[in-house]
Amino acid sequence: MDRNAEFKRWKAQGLSKADLSRKGSVDEDVVELVQLLNEREQYFTTSSCAGRIILLDGIVALKKANGDAILKFEPLILHVQCRQLQDAQILHSVAIDSGFRNSGITVGKRGKTMLAIRSTHGLEVPLSHKGKLMVTEEYIDFLLKIANQKMEENKKRIERFYNCLQHALEKETITNSHPKEKIKDKNNSSYTHKKKRNPEACGKCIEENDKALENDDDPGISVTIFPEDY
């Protein structure tokens, strides 16, 4: 079976599976993004979470905590299987330019190419220890304000990613319709890819994102692509 046929089989199987998440459906904030990816023949999503604010302790209320309570904000995480490395690189570039700078590509056995789209602006703060509240209620209110601000920024990045992706896919379609203008990529089964900015990838999106990320603590990107026999 050739690679394209095998990818189509993987995609059909992946999209036919039941949603086993507790919610049972795709989060509203990423529905359009997931649909946009799944409509393209070279991509399909395998899991997604639009972002969430949670209190980890398994309790009804913080004051009744009998363990270690932790307040967490988790930004978007989206896993996408890609038909080939070139498709993953396009998507990865758009994700980075849209603010999801912890995104990475892995290629494993049987040639499965996966892209994990992730951000760096999470939040995790311990609130109690062995049932004892370690912070003031005023500080908890402050943390909730910060978590809500991070959630709003997360939503902006999702919207930015959706708009930039539309632009990139439209550009790719135009390029593919003119094969003589298409630059051939050198075949390479194993290497580490370091992202380079492409100002044309999503136009104004990059400028807007650079301003939004001026105070981001972690500008680093680590993308490792494993060989076929990994």
Side-chain angles (χ1 to χ4, degrees):
M1 183 182 295
D2 64 44
R3 285 289 176 84
N4 285 338
E6 190 169 29
F7 178 79
K8 289 180 180 179
R9 181 175 62 82
W10 284 333
K11 180 170 183 175
Q13 290 177 346
L15 296 183
S16 65
K17 292 180 180 178
D19 190 331
L20 300 178
S21 65
R22 183 176 300 179
K23 184 173 180 286
S25 61
V26 177
D27 293 339
E28 182 179 351
D29 289 334
V30 292
V31 167
E32 291 185 348
L33 177 58
V34 168
Q35 289 177 342
L36 177 62
L37 288 166
N38 289 335
E39 286 171 357
R40 303 289 296 200
E41 64 180 7
Q42 66 268 47
Y43 303 115
F44 71 94
T45 59
T46 61
S47 65
S48 66
C49 176
R52 57 184 180 173
I53 299 173
I54 54 178
L55 179 65
L56 298 181
D57 191 75
I59 59 174
V60 177
L62 184 59
K63 290 182 179 180
K64 297 180 181 179
N66 55 15
D68 296 343
I70 300 174
L71 178 70
K72 292 184 68 175
F73 161 71
E74 298 177 344
L76 168 80
I77 182 165
L78 179 65
H79 291 97
V80 183
Q81 186 167 336
C82 309
R83 181 178 55 191
Q84 57 187 0
L85 181 57
Q86 182 180 352
D87 299 320
Q89 288 174 315
I90 293 172
L91 194 55
H92 176 261
S93 180
V94 175
I96 296 299
D97 286 332
S98 301
F100 298 101
R101 300 196 291 173
N102 195 32
S103 299
I105 304 170
T106 60
V107 179
K109 287 185 176 181
R110 299 173 63 192
K112 283 190 176 181
T113 304
M114 297 294 302
L115 173 67
I117 299 170
R118 300 172 297 224
S119 186
T120 60
H121 70 300
L123 177 70
E124 181 172 344
V125 183
L127 302 178
S128 69
H129 179 61
K130 295 182 179 180
K132 180 181 178 181
L133 190 63
M134 306 300 293
V135 298
T136 64
E137 292 188 8
E138 181 181 5
Y139 185 65
I140 294 173
D141 290 338
F142 170 74
L143 288 177
L144 289 174
K145 180 180 179 181
I146 296 298
N148 285 326
Q149 289 174 347
K150 286 180 174 290
M151 179 63 82
E152 289 304 312
E153 171 60 26
N154 182 63
K155 291 180 179 180
K156 290 178 181 178
R157 294 187 188 190
I158 292 173
E159 182 178 1
R160 188 182 302 125
F161 179 65
Y162 176 81
N163 292 332
C164 291
L165 181 59
Q166 278 189 315
H167 182 92
L169 293 178
E170 288 172 1
K171 182 180 178 181
E172 183 197 19
T173 299
I174 294 174
T175 301
N176 289 340
S177 66
H178 298 82
K180 291 183 179 180
E181 299 175 8
K182 189 175 181 180
I183 301 176
K184 294 183 179 179
D185 292 330
K186 294 181 180 179
N187 293 326
N188 193 348
S189 62
S190 174
Y191 70 101
T192 299
H193 169 68
K194 193 169 184 179
K195 175 249 162 203
K196 295 181 180 179
R197 286 191 178 276
N198 178 4
E200 298 180 359
C202 51
K204 189 177 179 182
C205 297
I206 297 177
E207 295 180 8
E208 294 175 350
N209 182 58
D210 286 340
K211 292 179 181 178
L213 297 177
E214 284 179 356
N215 298 320
D216 205 327
D217 293 332
D218 184 5
I221 306 165
S222 178
V223 184
T224 302
I225 302 176
F226 297 103
E228 179 70 19
D229 58 350
Y230 176 77

